[in-house]
């Protein structure tokens, strides 16, 4: 049996056989040479090998945490607050479906001239015609469908006691008897007396 | 070309103006949108709403909202003279296809369009455990669907019932105030198609926005003010029975 010569040899491990124990013992001898002179301190650091092993494990865990966190948390997180800053740009990048009336009015000037004289002057095009951004991007190949006036007009003008009383409403069954609205009304300029009048020069 | 002093004096201001245009960019390619310069909200005039459902349809088409789910919807209130505290509220299919004629036209009947209130102190963003929903620097409550876990905390937290779980993505979904439109200088899809102008997008940081004059001259309310959510959807002509 080998005699106990160093503090780390409690478990009867030979320093020569365990390279880890050997390096730890070596470093501890270098580091604590002065401290080890007093017997009491020597007793305190008797099992220093265990503490150093524990410290090594914790250090590895800390490094793993820092590396993992850097890999998992998105770069822009916390740019403006507790969220991913890039999310704002991603949401803003979504393509639009409704082109907006300014785009429509850029080409369809004849309809604008008609519309601004009647009571539908304030109505934007996509209220009735639906989303037309694809048509605006490619007017030649994407053609919008004409809306069905019996459905479209009734949505706004069908009588309902919850609608504001000043809003023009009809009970379509009594009013037209199933005829489509554009038989008599021109949707862009709905007043019947105005029908057929020239768009320009006409008085409101 | 030799530059005389006179010519230089003419050229310098011209170059300065040109440089300003270069910095601003063209509206299409570089929107030059600064989040710090806006604080978005919405104005809803109940006295103008006709319940046509254009906003609900436009919202669904603009934002790919699945059928049966609503980022915005319209409620019809029926308040009888003797039960002001208990209004009858209905919203068939979110008001998407309009409303059938009321059987009982007595009392008060009116439409209330609803959407996310884009609260400045929003209860929904405070409960998100991962930071997937947030109030953007320009005051819009947004959902980062790539980061959302779908835990539904925010759906429960919203006092206005404005959130839902999108069945396609299985993440929280809600009105984004058409963030992809307002950052391009357009108005929201619902405000674009509102035939009576009952919905108006409002920029509270823009001193030229008509909202300021409107708030001064009208008695405007918000929903559930006692919850101190800092709601930024303002209702004009709102009845006391509206919840």
């Amino acid at each position: 049996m080998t005699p106990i010569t160093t503090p780390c040899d409690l478990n009867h491990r030979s320093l020569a056989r365990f390279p880890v124990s050997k390096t730890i013992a070596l470093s501890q001898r270098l580091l604590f040479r002065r401290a080890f002179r007093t017997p009491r301190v020597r007793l305190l650091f008797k099992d220093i090998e265990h503490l150093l092993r524990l410290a090594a494990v914790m250090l590895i865990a800390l490094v793993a945490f820092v590396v993992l966190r850097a890999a998992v948390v998105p770069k822009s997180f916390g740019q403006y607050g507790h969220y991913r800053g890039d999310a704002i740009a991603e949401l803003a990048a979504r393509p639009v479906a409704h082109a907006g009336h300014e785009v429509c009015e850029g080409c369809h000037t004849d309809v604008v001239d008609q519309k601004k004289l009647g009571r539908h002057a304030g109505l934007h095009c996509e209220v009735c015609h639906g989303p037309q951004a694809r048509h605006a991007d490619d007017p030649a190949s994407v053609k919008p469908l004409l809306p069905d006036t019996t459905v479209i007009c009734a949505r706004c003008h069908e009588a309902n006691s919850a609608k504001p009383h000043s809003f023009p409403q009809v009970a379509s069954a009594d009013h037209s008897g199933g005829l489509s609205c554009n038989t008599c009304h021109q949707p862009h300029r709905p007043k019947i007396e105005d029908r057929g009048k020239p768009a320009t020069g006409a008085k409101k | 070309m030799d530059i005389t002093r006179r010519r230089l004096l003419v050229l310098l201001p011209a170059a300065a103006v040109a440089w300003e245009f270069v910095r601003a960019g063209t509206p299409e390619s570089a929107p030059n949108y600064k989040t710090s310069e806006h604080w978005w909200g919405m104005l809803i005039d109940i006295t103008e709403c006709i319940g046509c459902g254009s906003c609900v349809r436009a919202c669904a088409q603009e934002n790919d909202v699945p059928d049966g789910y609503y980022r915005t919807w319209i409620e019809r209130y029926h308040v009888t003279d003797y039960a002001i505290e208990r209004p009858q509220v209905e919203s068939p299919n979110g008001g998407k296809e309009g409303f059938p004629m009321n059987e009982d036209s007595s009392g008060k009947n009116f439409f209330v369009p609803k959407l996310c209130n884009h609260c400045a102190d929003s209860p929904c963003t405070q409960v998100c455990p991962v930071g997937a929903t947030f109030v953007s620097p320009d005051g819009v409550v947004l959902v980062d669907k790539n980061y959302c876990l779908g835990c539904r905390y925010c759906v429960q937290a919203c006092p206005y019932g404005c959130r839902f779980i999108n069945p396609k993505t299985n993440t929280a979904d809600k009105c984004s105030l058409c963030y992809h439109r307002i950052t391009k200088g357009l108005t929201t899809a619902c405000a674009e198609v509102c035939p009576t102008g009952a919905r108006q997008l409002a920029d509270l940081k823009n001193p030229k926005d008509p909202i300021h004059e409107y708030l001064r001259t009208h008695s405007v309310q918000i929903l559930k003010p006692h919850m101190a959510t800092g709601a930024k959807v303002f209702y004009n002509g709102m009845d006391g029975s509206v919840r």
Side-chain angles (χ1 to χ4, degrees):
Chain A
M1 202 173 131
T2 48
I4 296 169
T5 48
T6 49
C8 65
D9 213 7
L10 285 172
N11 297 331
H12 307 291
R13 284 178 299 183
S14 160
L15 291 184
R17 262 194 285 153
F18 293 94
V20 177
S21 307
K22 195 180 178 184
T23 46
I24 291 173
L26 207 71
S27 62
Q28 119 194 359
R29 231 176 278 157
L30 284 168
L31 282 167
F32 303 107
R33 189 171 281 173
R34 190 177 290 270
F36 267 94
R37 276 185 193 150
T38 51
R40 191 177 276 184
V41 177
R42 186 182 290 224
L43 206 70
L44 196 69
F45 287 102
K46 184 162 62 80
D47 296 330
I48 190 88
E49 189 196 344
H50 301 278
L51 293 175
L52 285 172
R53 276 166 190 270
L54 197 65
V57 167
M58 287 177 81
L59 190 74
I60 289 166
L62 185 76
V63 168
F65 171 76
V66 169
V67 169
L68 261 174
R69 193 182 183 281
V72 169
V73 175
K75 271 215 176 75
S76 65
F77 201 92
Q79 191 181 353
Y80 307 109
H82 188 71
Y83 56 91
R84 217 161 50 89
D86 286 350
I88 292 181
E90 283 169 25
L91 282 155
R94 188 191 163 81
V96 297
H98 291 75
H101 61 284
E102 280 110 344
V103 175
C104 310
E105 286 160 8
C107 300
H108 299 279
T109 45
D110 51 329
V111 179
V112 177
D113 290 340
Q114 273 285 336
K115 209 156 71 73
K116 70 183 175 196
L117 300 166
R119 292 203 52 188
H120 279 171
L123 245 70
H124 297 160
C125 314
E126 285 160 323
V127 178
C128 304
H129 292 281
Q132 297 298 346
R134 282 176 60 234
H135 167 66
D137 288 341
D138 190 3
S141 57
V142 184
K143 293 285 179 197
L145 291 170
L146 266 182
D148 180 6
T149 51
T150 40
V151 178
I152 286 283
C153 302
R155 274 181 182 147
C156 292
H157 293 289
E158 189 67 56
N160 194 315
S161 60
K163 285 179 184 175
H165 298 303
S166 58
F167 188 78
Q169 304 162 50
V170 293
S172 56
D174 302 339
H175 179 76
S176 60
L179 279 174
S180 70
C181 309
N182 60 353
T183 316
C184 307
H185 300 277
Q186 214 279 65
H188 290 145
R189 201 177 166 195
K191 206 172 179 188
I192 291 176
E193 297 95 275
D194 289 344
R195 201 170 187 194
K197 279 188 193 169
T200 46
K203 283 197 177 124
K204 215 174 177 182
Chain B
M1 186 175 78
D2 54 330
I3 294 172
T4 59
R5 187 182 297 176
R6 178 188 292 266
R7 187 169 277 173
L8 185 73
L9 284 174
V10 173
L11 276 174
L12 273 181
V17 169
W19 178 238
E20 277 303 306
F21 274 98
V22 169
R23 284 207 317 173
T26 52
E28 280 81 18
S29 58
N32 223 22
Y33 178 84
K34 285 202 182 72
T35 49
S36 57
E37 287 173 358
H38 304 274
W39 192 248
W40 296 107
M42 185 166 266
L43 180 67
I44 292 178
D45 194 347
I46 289 178
T47 58
E48 292 284 336
C49 182
I50 56 170
C52 63
S54 295
C55 47
V56 186
R57 287 191 302 278
C59 176
Q61 286 166 325
E62 182 73 43
N63 298 298
D64 288 333
V65 183
D67 274 344
Y69 296 85
Y70 307 97
R71 286 186 176 199
T72 182
W73 67 98
I74 307 171
E75 292 172 356
R76 179 166 66 185
Y77 273 68
H78 173 55
V79 189
T80 49
D81 298 337
Y82 48 86
I84 293 166
E85 285 297 304
R86 279 180 291 281
Q88 291 170 25
V89 187
E90 57 179 337
S91 184
N93 198 11
K96 208 177 198 173
E97 301 302 326
F99 288 79
M101 185 66 197
N102 325 31
E103 288 151 26
D104 183 7
S105 61
S106 66
K108 267 191 282 190
N109 294 289
F110 50 88
F111 298 109
V112 182
K114 294 261 180 94
L115 72 157
C116 170
N117 286 265
H118 294 282
C119 310
D121 304 310
S122 62
C124 56
T125 60
Q126 291 169 31
V127 298
C128 183
V130 295
T133 182
F134 51 90
V135 184
S136 71
D138 40 1
V140 183
V141 179
L142 295 170
V143 178
D144 179 359
K145 70 173 181 207
N146 297 328
Y147 217 58
C148 174
L149 300 168
C151 74
R152 291 151 169 83
Y153 277 2
C154 56
V155 180
Q156 286 206 331
C158 176
Y160 305 104
C162 295
R163 284 172 172 259
F164 59 91
I165 296 291
N166 190 317
K168 283 184 204 155
T169 57
N170 233 347
T171 55
D173 204 342
K174 66 179 281 298
C175 162
S176 61
L177 206 64
C178 283
Y179 198 72
H180 58 296
R181 295 177 62 85
I182 59 176
T183 49
K184 294 181 180 86
L186 295 161
T187 185
T188 63
C190 56
E192 172 70 31
V193 303
C194 183
T196 58
R199 285 172 179 255
Q200 299 284 338
L201 180 71
D203 185 359
L204 298 161
K205 256 192 193 174
N206 179 3
K208 286 177 187 155
D209 198 290
I211 178 80
H212 303 293
E213 177 68 18
Y214 198 94
L215 292 179
R216 262 199 302 279
T217 52
H218 293 73
S219 49
V220 168
Q221 298 178 61
I222 57 164
L223 291 172
K224 300 190 184 182
H226 58 281
M227 299 197 83
T229 54
K232 296 203 299 302
V233 173
F234 303 100
Y235 286 90
N236 181 47
M238 187 159 74
D239 191 82
S241 61
V242 177
R243 297 287 176 267

